[in-house]
Amino acid sequence: MTEHLRNRSDGARDGKPAPDYPPAPEGLAVPVYDNHTHLEIADGALPLSVAEHLDRAEAVGIAGAVQVGTDVATSRWSADAADRDGRLLAAVALHPNEAPELEASGALDDALAVIDELAARPRVRAVGETGLDWYRTGEEGRPAQFRAFEAHIDIAKRHGVALQIHDRDAHDDVVETLRRVGAPERTVFHCFSGGEELARLAASEGWYCSFAGNVTFKNAENLREALRVLPRELILVETDAPYLTPAPLRGRPNAPYLVPVTVRFMADVLGAPLDELCADLASNTVRVYGSWQDDPVTSGFVDADGA
């Protein structure tokens, strides 16, 4: 399998040399999971292989990750990666910003059919990231995004897997769509970007909210307010790597092994014991995606006796 499908800005940012990965943080005593990452993207001065990413993550108490697709190619890559390493599960989807171009070329239905097929694979446990993005798409692209979002919701429900939502500047329309079409039983707002109001609404619907490294940013008090009002049983953690590296490491590549930085920050915001929060995050993640050890494979953290 190809190790990476693309590079982040060809390995550089704003014309500057690509930075190194940060040193590993102190590990977690109670393991947690990164429920949204993009390991198909090479980043940094010395890009890490998938195995290196997962080895580093395991070493600091990250028991597994959900590898997420954003188009047909990355969704296939994600499903294959999860088959090859027991530390990965997969999510497959067409990113909302892909939908208008696919619709214009007449390829949207065929692409959705591939996502539907991939969603049937045993280690594909979510449809995502899908949703609505009004930041990059103008009015002319919105009908295609709505159509793709509704199709993804249907795929998730038919296959009995979770839904991972990408919601950028589209809170009201995302909520309206979920209510109108009917949200899957396990619905996750990936990289939660709302404030207290959206968090309370999500909680009332039983939707999960996943926090990435941007919860640590100085200008993200709205995210911290949301975190404080959410029931603990609806909180998840993610990296969205290689993006959204948590403070104070911003400007360097993100990776699953940096989850402990975000989790410790979240524990401080909540005034919660770190081990207690980790246990909650782990149980929530398994409730959404199932066990990483279902359908065990020969690599990853499966025990030698196959248990």
Side-chain angles (χ1 to χ4, degrees):
M1 141 180 213
T2 303
E3 197 61 69
H4 299 104
L5 287 187
R6 66 179 187 267
N7 294 325
R8 181 182 180 185
S9 303
D10 295 323
R13 294 177 177 82
D14 300 324
K16 299 178 182 178
D20 293 325
Y21 276 88
E26 181 182 353
L28 300 172
V30 177
V32 301
Y33 301 86
D34 177 357
N35 94 110
H36 189 109
T37 194
H38 300 281
L39 301 184
E40 82 282 1
I41 303 173
D43 195 16
L46 295 172
L48 300 177
S49 70
V50 172
E52 288 171 329
H53 272 297
L54 297 174
D55 289 346
R56 288 191 181 193
E58 254 190 313
V60 295
I62 309 307
V66 179
Q67 163 62 33
V68 179
T70 55
D71 54 22
V72 166
T74 56
S75 292
R76 283 199 179 108
W77 191 98
S78 299
D80 289 343
D83 282 343
R84 285 172 166 81
D85 196 305
R87 296 168 291 186
L88 289 178
L89 295 177
V92 298
L94 311 174
H95 190 285
N97 287 326
E98 296 286 320
E101 184 175 344
L102 288 168
E103 184 78 288
S105 67
L108 181 56
D109 287 328
D110 287 344
L112 288 167
V114 174
I115 300 304
D116 193 4
E117 180 181 352
L118 291 171
R121 291 170 61 167
R123 295 189 69 80
V124 173
R125 304 292 180 78
V127 169
E129 56 188 284
T130 180
L132 302 172
D133 188 323
W134 300 159
Y135 179 76
R136 289 193 176 91
T137 298
E139 291 285 343
E140 70 284 353
R142 293 190 177 191
Q145 284 202 13
F146 276 116
R147 185 162 88 83
F149 186 25
E150 292 178 21
H152 283 89
I153 293 171
D154 176 67
I155 292 169
K157 290 194 290 189
R158 283 192 289 104
H159 291 282
V161 297
L163 183 76
Q164 281 201 5
I165 292 175
H166 173 101
D167 166 23
R168 188 164 188 185
D169 294 351
H171 303 327
D172 291 345
D173 289 323
V174 166
V175 169
E176 187 279 330
T177 302
L178 290 171
R179 285 175 163 170
R180 173 171 47 82
V181 177
E185 180 181 353
R186 288 157 292 141
T187 293
V188 178
F189 277 73
H190 133 70
C191 190
F192 184 81
S193 60
E196 180 179 344
E197 181 180 357
L198 182 60
R200 290 189 185 279
L201 188 155
S204 72
E205 299 282 354
W207 299 334
Y208 293 81
C209 298
S210 177
F211 291 85
N214 54 340
V215 73
T216 70
F217 296 176
K218 288 182 179 180
N219 64 349
E221 183 58 32
N222 64 314
L223 301 184
R224 294 186 281 276
E225 291 172 352
L227 178 61
R228 292 185 188 102
V229 303
L230 281 164
R232 193 78 63 82
E233 64 268 19
L234 294 177
I235 296 172
L236 301 173
V237 68
E238 66 175 86
T239 56
D240 201 18
Y243 311 105
L244 299 179
T245 310
L249 304 171
R250 296 182 69 181
R252 303 176 76 174
N254 200 7
Y257 77 89
L258 297 178
V259 165
V261 178
T262 302
V263 172
R264 284 192 168 86
F265 185 91
M266 292 168 65
D268 288 344
V269 170
L270 293 170
L274 178 61
D275 288 355
E276 180 181 299
L277 177 60
C278 288
D280 289 339
L281 291 169
S283 63
N284 295 347
T285 308
V286 172
R287 191 182 314 120
V288 173
Y289 304 107
S291 171
W292 264 248
Q293 295 191 43
D294 290 348
D295 302 298
V297 293
T298 55
S299 57
F301 56 78
V302 179
D303 294 339
D305 63 1

